[in-house]
């Protein structure tokens, strides 16, 4: 199988990484496909198995960990696991495409460590913690406690930014999208 490349976008919640990833997926010439993560958490609302996540029971997830089926995984909250199945990356590469991730900082850095030459790691930085909190509140999807928890986690995540290949500061979405497009294009045309 011909291996493609991997582009990792990591950031605290509310930084804009999902918007950037969706934008890049819409650019046909980049030949990207989104890596669907596996999780042990329950489905929420209209989520679809195999589209939003691969929903696994806690036992299935732990069995796959034991069988070394994950490229990376993490227990984000007690008994709440998220990870990238090796088979997901292989599935995308088999289609002749490159893999793009919207993933937490730990997982993003793990992928970079496993495939250092094949991976472009990009950290999306919010203008400030205060702006991040405003963005999370505007979503109106989470309680004040959950927002405070995400903001506290963001401070820890921001400390990992220098470990990524590039940092995009998302002060202006149009500029951030243009930067991300340029980084992806230059990385994908580079020979390994």
């Amino acid at each position: 199988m011909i291996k493609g490349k991997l582009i990792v976008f990591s950031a605290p919640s509310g930084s804009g990484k999902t918007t950037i990833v969706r934008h890049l997926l819409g650019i046909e010439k980049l030949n990207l496909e989104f890596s669907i993560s596996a999780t042990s958490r329950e489905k929420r609302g209209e989520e679809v198995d195999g589209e939003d996540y691969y929903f696994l029971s806690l036992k299935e997830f732990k069995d796959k960990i034991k069988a070394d089926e994950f490229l990376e995984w993490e227990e984000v909250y007690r008994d709440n696991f998220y990870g990238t199945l090796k088979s997901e990356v292989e599935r995308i590469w088999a289609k002749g495409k490159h893999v793009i991730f919207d993933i937490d900082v730990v997982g993003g850095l793990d992928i970079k460590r496993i495939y250092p030459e094949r991976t472009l790691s990009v950290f999306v930085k919010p203008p400030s913690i205060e702006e991040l909190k405003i963005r999370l509140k505007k979503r109106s999807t989470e309680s004040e406690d959950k927002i405070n928890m995400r903001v506290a986690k963001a401070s820890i995540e921001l400390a990992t930014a220098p470990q990524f290949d590039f940092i995009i500061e998302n002060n202006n979405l149009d500029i951030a999208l243009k930067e991300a497009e340029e980084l992806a294009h230059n990385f994908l045309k580079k020979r390994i």
Side-chain angles (χ1 to χ4, degrees):
M1 177 198 331
I2 295 171
K3 291 182 178 179
K5 291 185 178 179
L6 306 110
I7 300 177
V8 169
F9 279 88
S10 296
S13 282
S15 297
K17 72 179 179 303
T18 303
T19 302
I20 291 171
V21 167
R22 284 191 186 131
H23 172 74
L24 294 176
L25 282 165
I27 301 170
E28 211 171 297
K29 70 179 179 188
L30 294 177
N31 195 29
L32 297 169
E33 185 162 330
F34 185 69
S35 171
I36 301 166
S37 295
T39 185
S40 65
R41 76 158 170 77
E42 295 292 317
K43 280 187 209 173
R44 292 183 196 140
E46 303 291 312
E47 289 179 328
V48 178
D49 184 47
E51 230 174 82
D52 297 295
Y53 287 96
Y54 295 113
F55 291 97
L56 306 173
S57 70
L58 184 58
K59 183 187 178 333
E60 286 173 314
F61 205 105
K62 287 181 173 180
D63 287 347
K64 288 185 183 297
I65 290 170
K66 282 185 194 130
D68 194 32
E69 292 183 37
F70 284 100
L71 188 57
E72 58 80 29
W73 62 271
E74 185 181 4
E75 186 174 14
V76 178
Y77 304 105
R78 184 169 161 68
D79 289 340
N80 208 328
F81 291 82
Y82 289 84
T84 303
L85 290 160
K86 292 175 181 176
S87 59
E88 176 68 357
V89 171
E90 289 161 9
R91 178 187 72 78
I92 295 168
W93 281 346
K95 292 167 79 175
K97 292 184 169 254
H98 302 291
V99 187
I100 190 166
F101 299 85
D102 172 344
I103 194 170
D104 69 85
V105 295
V106 174
L109 291 171
D110 282 348
I111 290 168
K112 178 67 180 183
R113 187 179 38 75
I114 295 163
Y115 291 110
E117 300 301 313
R118 292 192 175 282
T119 304
L120 170 67
S121 62
V122 182
F123 188 92
V124 181
K125 188 176 171 189
S128 67
I129 290 287
E130 294 74 32
E131 176 61 24
L132 189 71
K133 196 167 186 172
I134 291 166
R135 289 178 185 181
L136 289 170
K137 282 183 176 185
K138 277 184 186 171
R139 284 184 182 176
S140 301
T141 57
E142 294 172 334
S143 68
E144 189 70 29
D145 283 349
K146 190 87 167 175
I147 289 169
N148 289 334
M149 195 171 73
R150 289 195 184 276
V151 169
K153 189 177 179 201
S155 299
I156 297 161
E157 291 170 323
L158 285 166
T160 68
Q163 297 173 53
F164 286 78
D165 296 324
F166 292 95
I167 298 170
I168 292 176
E169 194 160 321
N170 188 8
N171 295 324
N172 175 307
L173 185 59
D174 290 336
I175 292 169
L177 293 174
K178 212 177 271 327
E179 273 183 60
E181 213 173 302
E182 200 173 295
L183 286 172
H185 177 74
N186 291 338
F187 176 71
L188 293 173
K189 73 178 185 185
K190 199 169 66 177
R191 291 182 88 94
I192 296 178

